[in-house]
Amino acid sequence: MGAIEGRGLVDGTHTGDLLAGDDDGPEEVNDLLDDGGDTISDVSRSLLPESSPDATATTVLLRDELGLPTVGEIGGDLLGAAAEAAARDTGLPGRAVGLPSRPVPDTVIDEADHPGLALRAVSLRGDRNRAEGLPRQESFGLYPLEHAGQRFVLAVTACAFPSVRDADRVRRLLWRGVAARMAEAAAPLRDPEHFRNLCALLLEQALEVGPTGTLTAALVRLSPEGETTDCLLFGTDVASARLLRGGEWEPLPATLPADPDGVHVNGHRIAPGEALLMCGTGLSGPMADAETADRLAAQWGAGRVPGRMEFAWQLDFRADGHEDDRTAVCLWGL
């Protein structure tokens, strides 16, 4: 990965919106500079690895080595020539109404590796936005934090927002809110009502300005390799997170009380060999199909952690009827 100099560089990631300049400059300047996702990863190479032993052309429409789709089968229905031609005829996105003129990258990728935790993240422009020549509307952020000598990672997905500018602004506000309340957020998970109120407040502050969407976050306490990792999972959509354990996906419903506005909080632990997935409808929709869910479980289970490019490639499939942007963050316990 290409080296990028900047403040707060930790384990190959960064503190906050390093590229966007969150802490240096007015908000309008930050919005102009924002690339739609917090990442310093080198994305100049092809998203496709040379090979993948888990590729199954019978369940998804994969991208070939030129970044173009290749015909595959989804749910037993073969995509026809018209759909194939339409998928190829998608140029660079134009400027969406209300957005700065700087282009939004089609794809953003990031990764981080710690002794007891591995993170992979990607945000891909969906087929609907491709077909309409519009930019990606979703984003994610990975933020290293510290409190009382302990190290944490905050992972955030911002999905189903009207624009990537809205998604970026909301996740930045959530990160700042968590950083300002680390003494409370990092406390042991002993008082469910305390954490429900705290997480509800953090989400409300992040979403109080502008349009709303689906916001999901995981505050993870870093632990030594081989030990269980504590995780505070919270968000506005309980269906946006699931746990991969023993080769099976388990939904993570709220185990702490949810308030009337639908804020969900889950005090969870990620054991070695388990993986926590946070995603939007661009991935949760296709995963309703058992074949797609099983394929991803096989690729990400048994303690196997893909590289960042392979992770993006594994999610770069076309599923009939699911054309939203595809944003996902996966955390593996090591």
Side-chain angles (χ1 to χ4, degrees):
M1 182 172 67
I4 297 183
E5 297 296 332
R7 65 184 191 282
L9 219 58
V10 179
D11 290 330
T13 61
H14 53 87
T15 303
D17 289 304
L18 182 63
L19 296 184
D22 258 359
D23 299 323
D24 306 308
E27 184 71 23
E28 58 270 20
V29 174
N30 294 333
D31 289 335
L32 282 170
L33 294 177
D34 208 309
D35 66 349
D38 287 342
T39 177
I40 61 169
S41 298
D42 180 1
V43 294
S44 62
R45 291 174 289 172
S46 169
L47 289 180
L48 292 173
E50 293 182 0
S51 63
S52 173
D54 300 310
T56 53
T58 59
T59 58
V60 295
L61 191 70
L62 303 175
R63 309 283 176 182
D64 66 19
E65 292 186 353
L66 296 177
L68 301 175
T70 57
V71 173
E73 190 175 332
I74 303 176
D77 295 325
L78 190 65
L79 295 179
E84 174 77 357
R88 292 176 181 270
D89 188 20
T90 56
L92 293 173
R95 175 181 177 180
V97 176
L99 284 180
S101 58
R102 184 175 184 267
V104 176
D106 180 278
T107 300
V108 181
I109 306 171
D110 205 355
E111 69 172 359
D113 292 295
H114 300 274
L117 185 73
L119 301 95
R120 302 291 182 266
V122 66
S123 186
L124 304 165
R125 183 164 59 130
D127 285 343
R128 180 184 296 110
N129 282 335
R130 290 178 185 274
E132 297 178 359
L134 296 175
R136 179 171 42 85
Q137 298 170 255
E138 300 183 347
S139 68
F140 65 83
L142 303 179
Y143 305 97
L145 297 169
E146 291 190 12
H147 174 70
Q150 291 186 310
R151 299 170 64 198
F152 297 79
V153 170
L154 176 69
V156 182
T157 58
C159 303
F161 282 86
S163 73
V164 73
R165 181 176 184 176
D166 295 314
D168 289 336
R169 180 172 296 170
V170 166
R171 62 174 169 76
R172 285 199 302 259
L173 288 172
L174 183 62
W175 159 57
R176 289 169 175 167
V178 172
R181 307 291 290 269
M182 276 299 292
E184 299 172 72
L189 292 171
R190 296 173 182 170
D191 184 354
E193 187 65 17
H194 163 76
F195 282 103
R196 187 198 68 77
N197 291 334
L198 174 61
C199 293
L201 176 63
L202 291 170
L203 290 167
E204 180 183 2
Q205 291 175 341
L207 293 167
E208 65 183 357
V209 178
T212 60
T214 299
L215 191 62
T216 308
L219 180 62
V220 181
R221 187 192 313 268
L222 296 181
S223 59
E225 186 172 359
E227 295 187 8
T228 300
T229 300
D230 292 329
C231 173
L232 178 64
L233 177 69
F234 59 102
T236 58
D237 183 2
V238 69
S240 61
R242 59 201 71 196
L243 183 72
L244 179 59
R245 173 189 290 163
E248 301 290 336
W249 290 106
E250 301 178 9
L252 288 180
T255 57
L256 306 182
D259 74 357
D261 294 327
V263 173
H264 301 274
V265 181
N266 188 315
H268 188 71
R269 292 183 174 180
I270 307 173
E274 296 180 347
L276 171 64
L277 173 66
M278 302 158 48
C279 63
T281 56
L283 181 58
S284 64
M287 287 184 68
D289 173 69
E291 193 171 10
T292 299
D294 290 346
R295 177 178 58 85
L296 293 176
Q299 291 174 330
W300 299 342
R304 182 178 184 276
V305 180
R308 65 185 185 278
M309 297 299 178
E310 185 181 8
F311 181 71
W313 174 79
Q314 290 166 344
L315 292 179
D316 190 20
F317 61 85
R318 298 181 64 235
D320 193 19
H322 301 284
E323 301 173 340
D324 296 337
D325 291 348
R326 186 166 297 152
T327 299
V329 175
C330 197
L331 305 88
W332 282 265
L334 303 177

